[in-house]
Amino acid sequence: EAGVAQSPRYKIIEKRQSVAFWCNPISGHATLYWYQQILGQGPKLLIQFQNNGVVDDSQLPKDRFSAERLKGVDSTLKIQPAKLEDSAVYLCASSLPRGAGKTDTQYFGPGTRLTVL
Amino acid sequence: AQTVTQSQPEMSVQEAETVTLSCTYDTSESDYYLFWYKQPPSRQMILVIRQEAYKQQNATENRFSVNFQKAAKSFSLKISDSQLGDAAMYFCAYRSVAGANSKLTFGKGITLSVRP
């Protein structure tokens, strides 16, 4: 079974530029998450999708971050314009829906390391 | 809001020895899940072990086991027979059972090194 795919793996941009990250979840996983992991810290949830609907985006800085999950499969996270403090690893995870018991474990992709200069 | 605390930033263990990583959490909920994730330098988060709060029995997965103390809100990970491949960052995480939100709340992590 293929895991969660993310691209690109690395991205370096200047501040005030825009950037987009892509995630393809495990096949059949209705729930998709984007986490931000700043160096030296644990990941923090930015947004959770259930199919193509948003469950939680309370921690998403909506003035500069946006995310979509068209057709309930792939997802894109965008930052526009980027700030220095956005330098972090962006992790995508997917899971089966709540209520699936033990199998609703979150599986993570390899992440995208963003550096904002 | 729930919080997860990992107060030890780094630990070191001799190969083949046993090491225990500590984690405490704070919640007002009675039912929840707790996890330990491993993050090697490749950055991929890998699930190590999972514990349901309503279960009194401590979870075990091969060389990995937990000591879950619900009243003390403590959730430590024991790694037996440590191997070089166990070297990584380890994160403790909490997940609520209630509601549709499945987010994981992570601690800051602990860096484990394994000495040959």
Side-chain angles (χ1 to χ4, degrees):
Chain A
E1 179 184 85
V4 177
Q6 289 187 248
S7 68
R9 292 296 308 276
Y10 303 90
K11 190 73 177 179
I12 300 174
I13 61 172
E14 302 277 336
K15 61 183 178 184
R16 291 188 290 275
Q17 285 187 324
S18 61
V19 65
F21 312 127
W22 173 83
C23 173
N24 180 245
I26 292 172
S27 178
H29 281 193
T31 310
L32 185 146
Y33 314 78
W34 284 101
Y35 289 86
Q36 179 193 57
Q37 186 178 16
I38 293 173
L39 185 65
Q41 299 182 19
K44 179 187 77 173
L45 180 75
L46 291 175
I47 188 166
Q48 175 188 340
F49 291 97
Q50 178 82 12
N51 296 307
N52 59 354
V54 175
V55 174
D56 181 4
D57 64 355
S58 58
Q59 298 292 302
L60 187 73
K62 298 180 186 66
D63 57 332
R64 298 183 300 106
F65 286 63
S66 64
E68 61 182 10
R69 192 182 183 199
L70 300 176
K71 301 180 182 178
V73 182
D74 293 5
S75 178
T76 302
L77 177 69
K78 297 180 181 177
I79 308 175
Q80 182 179 12
K83 292 186 175 182
L84 297 177
E85 58 261 34
D86 298 332
S87 294
V89 174
Y90 291 85
L91 296 166
C92 180
S94 71
S95 71
L96 291 170
R98 293 292 292 274
K102 205 166 190 175
T103 51
D104 62 354
T105 295
Q106 293 182 30
Y107 295 90
F108 285 80
T112 297
R113 181 181 295 278
L114 174 67
T115 301
V116 183
L117 303 176
Chain B
Q2 295 81 27
T3 59
V4 177
T5 302
Q6 294 179 256
S7 55
Q8 308 155 304
E10 298 178 355
M11 286 199 75
S12 180
V13 63
Q14 191 76 35
E15 193 176 7
E17 297 293 308
T18 296
V19 65
T20 299
L21 311 182
S22 302
C23 172
T24 59
Y25 59 94
D26 190 29
T27 183
S28 59
E29 299 176 331
S30 59
D31 199 11
Y32 45 87
Y33 296 107
L34 295 166
F35 304 83
W36 278 98
Y37 276 88
K38 171 184 177 181
Q39 188 177 43
S42 66
R43 302 196 304 270
Q44 184 122 23
M45 284 282 207
I46 302 164
L47 178 67
V48 174
I49 200 164
R50 158 187 172 134
Q51 174 80 42
E52 288 96 339
Y54 67 87
K55 289 186 177 179
Q56 293 186 339
Q57 186 173 7
N58 289 324
T60 300
E61 290 285 346
N62 301 314
R63 298 183 296 109
F64 299 88
S65 62
V66 298
N67 183 2
F68 173 48
Q69 301 290 326
K70 191 172 184 180
K73 296 180 181 174
S74 169
F75 182 61
S76 60
L77 175 69
K78 185 171 83 171
I79 306 174
S80 304
D81 186 25
S82 296
Q83 300 175 0
L84 295 177
D86 294 333
M89 280 207 74
Y90 287 81
F91 291 92
C92 179
Y94 174 104
R95 200 195 89 188
S96 178
V97 170
N101 194 323
S102 304
K103 75 173 184 182
L104 292 168
T105 300
F106 287 89
K108 286 190 173 183
I110 178 170
T111 300
L112 177 67
S113 59
V114 181
R115 304 185 302 274

